[in-house]
Amino acid sequence: MRNTPRTGDIDDYPATLAHRRVEGMLTTLLAVVLAATQLTLPQPTGPLRVGTATAHLVDTSRPDPWVAAERHRELMVQVWYPARSVRGHQRADWVSPGVAAIVNPPDSGFTLPVTHGYVGAPPAPGRHPVLLYSPGFGVERTASTALVEDLAGHGYVVVTIDHPHDAGFVEFPDGRIALRDIPTPTSPEQEEQLLDKVLDVRVTDTRFVLSRLRELPAATAMDLSRIGMFGHSMGGATAAATMLVDRRIRAGLNLDGSFTGPVIEAGLNRPFLMLGSDTHGDEQDETWTRTWAKLRGPRYWLELTGSAHLSFSDYQVLFHQIGLPADQIEQTVGSIDGDRSVAIQRAYVRAFFDRHLRGRPGTLLNGPSPRYPEISFPAAAG
């Protein structure tokens, strides 16, 4: 029987899905409460300019697992990479035009963020480590853009993956928009079966993307001998589950996601970092303690004081900007300052991949740092 994380007062639905239901409500929440303001993402800290491009991938070997009428599984990915020059190229919007029209109708009075990535900019010379990113359940590939584009500015190629019909909205190049089409479980047994299927679909999606990396934009900038993966919530579980069955991924990272599937008992023998909110430290998510015990490679358990589940996404800063009521801020993105939270996450995520994909050991992962007192290394982690 699956152990489930504590969810507080977010929902009285079965606990395992509570965080994921919050994620699924994000688009609706944005559309309802955003005020007349220009939303912005934090400026990247890296020395390199950032290019970005999208790609439409079709897996003809399988039908769509959620919509039976769709004969093939279609995916959208976005590549973020160090750019040689951005002259003559426009900055990319946070979401695609069709999705923006849904969440930001003409009379809304607000403007969605513009990213710091330039559409179609030529890649910088050289080959760079590759990172795959999977978002939370019900959320789009754009959910952690502030973290993704910062990694690209520090010399990584990051491929973000949309999981259609799991995500709220996925727009394809011909203007079609795949809407969320996940059944709602009515019992704990159905809930467990659903989560198993969601994970299996995401792992298959990810492995398909891995097989197509050489065909993506900026492929010439990719060093395919150095691949890592990270994700938020279900995306973090996807990173671990994919590593279990695919050795192309050399290092993985879970941002505040409960673990799901065989990896809990099988563990991993490659580097893995668990970075979460402080609700994990008092054993309120047994999937963390169980998985931790099975990690046989270099392992790290970090917690960000004052954070909440959605702190590990762009909503950490956007919810503050739109002026959500204090109780909703506390519930969704915690009490920590948004910009500070993003800065801390950027530092630790980069330090992990620098150590295990670039051979730059550094000291940040060795223990508590006076620069980032908000990060703890729980005693329970051993």
Side-chain angles (χ1 to χ4, degrees):
M1 182 174 178
R2 176 178 286 110
N3 291 294
T4 57
R6 183 184 68 88
T7 58
D9 299 323
I10 292 176
D11 207 317
D12 60 359
Y13 203 73
T16 310
L17 284 183
H19 280 161
R20 296 171 173 87
R21 287 195 65 192
V22 171
E23 293 161 4
M25 294 188 296
L26 289 177
T27 302
T28 301
L29 184 60
L30 283 171
V32 170
V33 303
L34 284 171
T37 187
Q38 170 67 62
L39 305 180
T40 61
L41 299 175
Q43 184 76 25
T45 63
L48 304 173
R49 306 301 290 270
V50 177
T52 186
T54 59
H56 177 209
L57 302 178
V58 181
D59 186 351
T60 59
S61 71
R62 57 181 172 135
D64 189 275
W66 303 113
V67 178
E70 298 182 5
R71 296 176 54 201
H72 304 305
R73 177 64 166 170
E74 298 183 65
L75 302 176
M76 287 299 298
V77 301
Q78 188 161 1
V79 186
W80 301 80
Y81 53 89
R84 183 177 76 244
S85 170
V86 298
R87 180 175 299 177
H89 296 268
Q90 299 296 315
R91 286 168 61 179
D93 291 327
W94 185 51
V95 298
S96 65
V99 173
I102 296 173
V103 302
N104 182 25
D107 59 352
S108 67
F110 66 85
T111 304
L112 294 177
V114 176
T115 74
H116 300 91
Y118 289 79
V119 179
R127 293 191 176 266
H128 309 275
V130 179
L131 303 177
L132 275 61
Y133 166 80
S134 180
F137 184 61
V139 186
E140 293 73 33
R141 68 177 188 265
T142 55
S144 293
T145 297
L147 177 55
V148 165
E149 61 185 10
D150 191 71
L151 286 163
H154 284 275
Y156 288 90
V157 177
V158 188
V159 181
T160 61
I161 305 171
D162 262 330
H163 303 282
H165 304 303
D166 169 337
F169 308 102
V170 177
E171 183 174 7
F172 296 109
D174 61 6
R176 287 176 298 127
I177 296 180
L179 301 178
R180 190 162 188 255
D181 201 347
I182 299 289
T184 300
T186 58
S187 68
E189 292 76 19
Q190 288 185 9
E191 174 191 335
E192 183 165 349
Q193 292 171 4
L194 173 66
L195 290 176
D196 288 343
K197 180 175 179 178
V198 168
L199 185 70
D200 288 345
V201 170
R202 283 166 164 254
V203 170
T204 305
D205 287 349
T206 303
R207 300 188 75 189
F208 176 67
V209 172
L210 279 167
S211 72
R212 300 289 293 272
L213 289 176
R214 289 182 174 86
E215 304 169 34
L216 295 183
T220 58
M222 299 181 187
D223 180 350
L224 299 185
S225 70
R226 296 184 290 169
I227 298 176
M229 185 172 180
F230 67 107
H232 172 231
S233 194
M234 180 58 85
T238 302
T242 307
M243 284 185 69
L244 181 64
V245 296
D246 201 315
R247 295 197 63 84
R248 287 175 290 184
I249 302 175
R250 290 177 48 182
L253 192 154
N254 179 353
L255 296 170
D256 206 54
S258 295
F259 291 93
T260 303
V263 74
I264 296 174
E265 297 302 327
L268 296 167
N269 60 2
R270 279 156 287 155
F272 203 87
L273 186 149
M274 299 150 48
L275 172 57
S277 59
D278 48 21
T279 59
H280 290 292
D282 49 8
E283 298 186 0
Q284 294 180 50
D285 184 347
E286 291 187 58
T287 70
W288 275 47
T289 54
R290 291 168 60 196
T291 304
W292 174 260
K294 299 291 186 177
L295 296 178
R296 301 180 299 281
R299 59 181 187 167
Y300 311 86
W301 181 335
L302 282 62
E303 292 173 2
L304 179 56
T305 302
S307 64
H309 188 55
L310 294 183
S311 296
F312 302 91
S313 70
D314 291 346
Y315 302 105
Q316 174 70 92
V317 291
L318 298 182
F319 281 1
H320 285 278
Q321 293 175 26
I322 66 181
L324 278 186
D327 60 335
Q328 292 186 35
I329 289 283
E330 183 83 17
Q331 186 181 47
T332 56
V333 296
S335 59
I336 189 170
D337 174 79
D339 287 335
R340 177 64 175 170
S341 176
V342 169
I344 294 170
Q345 293 174 54
R346 286 172 165 178
Y348 281 89
V349 170
R350 188 171 71 251
F352 172 74
F353 287 120
D354 277 355
R355 174 175 286 192
H356 294 291
L357 295 182
R358 285 177 156 162
R360 301 175 182 176
T363 60
L364 195 57
L365 297 174
N366 294 347
S369 167
R371 288 182 293 160
Y372 303 107
E374 300 92 337
I375 288 288
S376 64
F377 292 68

